């Protein structure tokens, strides 16, 4: 393919599931996803579309999320049966079944090196106030429990390990973010987000955290406390204080540029570049659109703007220009490969699509 080509690479129909979740291998040749039975997973070949044998163990209830290590050798599944399973991807065998959670588990993420695994529960059921959500840190190779912390009062939406993997940021629907120590679970700082979390990202050197929130107060917040407008905030993780506060007219998705010098925000089709040190607005492109969704690549180099009934738009944030249109359709979940060379979309009907972005950096 020529320079800058974007082309559909694969369209694969996989079993529809009430909670669609997929994890794509780093080399882009296969993916893991729950089967219709909801309580076990299998590998699908993205070249041939063939399904491999189901993995050799099962959960007792629906799988909510499947995640892979960066090298693709291990996977983890979290389930409403209150357990977490760690898998050897090469043979489909369970390495460990972790049973320390006492509530339904809904979220999981590996640290960048795969050394740690963070999982978190749903709010308590039957629902009571004050609710509590427990996060646990496990050894990502053996499944050994390392630490736990109960700081959130509603579901965790995003968890990020710091570049050195010594701290972890968690942000939830309870309008708060927390920085916690990985080894002990000890709370380091509480970050008042002022609304449900939309996006979060560490600066490339780990010196800052970028968050975007809706501004809609959680039912757990004290009413009348502070500004409730949507905002993009840069935090100093060392002291837990705001460095930059950028109010937004509507909730935005935000990311640092790959070199960390700029912030890119996108909402309803409006894409804006800001200075990451001063918060000064640098440039704005496009006119507002209704009901858009924005997906950033891992480093913030690319973003895709999606609007129902219209082709998705791929943008290069460094060159500040629109590259191509993608016929994504009604995607339930969309994301970039870690190397930013492929864009994936997955809908509730079980159709998984991939677009190759090879050549964009040549």
């Amino acid at each position: 393919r020529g320079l800058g080509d974007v082309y559909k690479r694969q369209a694969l129909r996989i079993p529809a599931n009430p909670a669609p979740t997929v994890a794509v291998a780093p080399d882009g040749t296969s993916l893991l996803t729950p089967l219709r039975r909801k309580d076990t997973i299998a590998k699908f070949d993205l070249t041939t579309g063939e399904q491999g044998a189901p993995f050799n163990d099962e959960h007792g209830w629906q799988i909510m999320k499947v995640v892979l290590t960066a090298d693709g050798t291990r996977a983890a599944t979290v389930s409403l049966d209150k357990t977490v399973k760690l898998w050897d991807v090469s043979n489909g065998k369970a390495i460990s079944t972790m049973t320390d959670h006492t509530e339904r588990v809904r979220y999981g993420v590996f640290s960048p090196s795969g050394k740690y695994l963070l999982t978190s529960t749903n709010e308590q059921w039957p629902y009571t106030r004050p609710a509590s959500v427990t996060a646990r840190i496990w050894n990502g190779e053996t499944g050994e429990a390392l630490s736990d912390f109960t700081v959130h009062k509603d579901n965790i939406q995003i968890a990020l390990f710091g570049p050195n993997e010594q701290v972890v940021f968690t942000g939830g629907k309870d309008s708060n973010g927390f920085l916690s120590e990985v080894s002990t679970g000890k709370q380091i700082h509480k970050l008042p987000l002022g609304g449900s979390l939309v996006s979060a990202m560490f600066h490339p050197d780990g010196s800052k955290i970028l968050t975007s929130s809706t501004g809609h107060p959680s039912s757990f917040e004290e009413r009348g406390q502070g500004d409730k407008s949507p905002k993009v905030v840069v935090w100093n993780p060392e002291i837990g204080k705001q460095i930059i506060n950028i109010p937004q007219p509507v909730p935005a998705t935000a990311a640092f540029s790959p070199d960390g010098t700029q912030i890119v925000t996108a909402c309803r089709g409006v894409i804006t570049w800001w200075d990451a040190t001063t918060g000064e607005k640098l440039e704005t492109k496009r006119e507002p659109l209704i009901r858009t969704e924005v997906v950033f690549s891992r480093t913030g180099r690319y973003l895709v703007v999606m609007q129902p009934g219209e082709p998705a738009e791929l943008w290069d944030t460094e060159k500040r220009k629109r590259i191509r249109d993608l016929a994504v359709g009604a995607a339930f979940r969309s994301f970039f490969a870690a190397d930013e060379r492929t864009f994936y979309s997955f809908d509730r009907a079980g159709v998984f699509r991939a677009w190759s972005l090879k050549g964009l950096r040549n």
Side-chain angles (χ1 to χ4, degrees):
R1 298 285 175 170
L3 178 64
D5 274 347
V6 178
Y7 61 95
K8 185 184 289 188
R9 180 178 161 199
Q10 183 66 266
L12 172 68
R13 183 171 292 278
I14 57 181
N17 192 287
T21 175
V22 295
V24 181
D27 62 6
T29 61
S30 63
L31 63 79
L32 298 178
T33 190
L35 301 178
R36 291 187 186 276
R37 292 160 55 193
K38 307 177 187 177
D39 52 9
T40 190
I41 60 173
K43 181 189 291 188
F44 286 77
D45 188 307
L46 283 176
T47 303
T48 65
E50 294 181 357
Q51 176 190 324
F55 280 25
N56 77 328
D57 201 359
E58 296 180 354
H59 283 278
W61 200 3
Q62 181 174 314
I63 293 171
M64 297 301 293
K65 194 170 183 64
V66 53
V67 291
L68 274 166
T69 55
D71 62 7
T73 60
R74 280 166 284 122
T77 50
V78 304
S79 170
L80 296 182
D81 70 356
K82 305 179 184 179
T83 70
V84 179
K85 288 185 183 292
L86 190 64
W87 306 90
D88 183 328
V89 175
S90 66
N91 56 26
K93 293 183 178 180
I95 298 171
S96 176
T97 298
M98 296 93 98
T99 60
D100 289 16
H101 280 297
T102 58
E103 300 293 334
R104 301 176 297 176
V105 194
R106 71 175 298 274
Y107 183 85
V109 62
F110 279 103
S111 65
S113 71
K115 182 178 180 180
Y116 301 109
L117 170 68
L118 180 145
T119 60
S120 67
T121 62
N122 269 27
E123 71 277 6
Q124 293 181 10
W125 184 261
Y127 182 74
T128 58
R129 292 191 180 187
S132 61
V133 171
T134 298
R136 293 189 180 275
I137 304 289
W138 315 84
N139 183 309
E141 297 177 351
T142 66
E144 175 190 1
L146 301 177
S147 62
D148 64 86
F149 45 100
T150 304
V151 291
H152 287 281
K153 296 181 179 179
D154 207 336
N155 293 340
I156 291 175
Q157 295 166 293
I158 298 175
L160 302 170
F161 285 87
N164 59 13
E165 300 191 355
Q166 295 179 9
V167 299
V168 64
F169 166 83
T170 54
K173 294 174 66 177
D174 60 0
S175 303
N176 289 311
F178 290 92
L179 280 167
S180 303
E181 195 173 74
V182 170
S183 60
T184 65
K186 179 182 177 182
Q187 179 184 327
I188 302 172
H189 295 300
K190 177 181 178 180
L191 311 181
L193 303 177
S196 183
L197 190 65
V198 176
S199 63
M201 183 180 184
F202 271 97
H203 188 275
D205 66 9
S207 64
K208 303 171 186 176
I209 298 175
L210 175 67
T211 65
S212 174
S213 61
T214 63
H216 301 150
S218 163
S219 59
F220 297 101
E221 278 190 295
E222 294 182 22
R223 300 294 175 173
Q225 300 295 311
D227 176 18
K228 298 303 180 184
S229 64
K231 57 180 66 70
V232 172
V233 177
V234 178
W235 306 84
N236 181 330
E238 291 292 327
I239 60 175
K241 300 297 183 182
Q242 295 184 17
I243 303 172
I244 297 172
N245 187 339
I246 305 174
Q248 298 286 305
V250 292
T253 305
F256 284 113
S257 61
D259 63 6
T261 62
Q262 298 177 16
I263 295 168
V264 186
T265 62
C267 59
R268 295 191 177 180
V270 178
I271 303 171
T272 307
W273 285 261
W274 313 80
D275 187 290
T277 301
T278 65
E280 176 188 1
K281 183 186 291 188
L282 303 175
E283 184 177 6
T284 296
K285 291 193 174 184
R286 296 180 50 87
E287 294 296 326
L289 299 174
I290 300 174
R291 295 178 61 199
T292 58
E293 178 186 356
V294 178
V295 180
F296 277 93
S297 64
R298 180 181 59 84
T299 68
R301 171 67 190 272
Y302 301 106
L303 65 83
V304 170
V305 181
M306 293 177 288
Q307 182 179 13
E310 300 291 336
E313 299 176 1
L314 174 68
W315 282 69
D316 184 317
T317 61
E318 286 191 348
K319 296 179 179 179
R320 301 186 185 182
K321 69 176 185 179
R322 175 177 168 182
I323 302 172
R324 293 287 189 277
D325 288 348
L326 309 176
V328 171
F332 171 78
R333 185 183 174 217
S334 300
F335 55 98
F336 282 87
D339 65 1
E340 305 185 317
R341 295 301 183 93
T342 311
F343 180 72
Y344 302 107
S345 71
F346 184 39
D347 65 30
R348 288 187 180 275
V351 178
F352 181 87
R353 297 180 176 89
W355 284 264
S356 175
L357 312 183
K358 292 180 180 178
L360 291 178
R361 294 187 179 181
N362 293 343

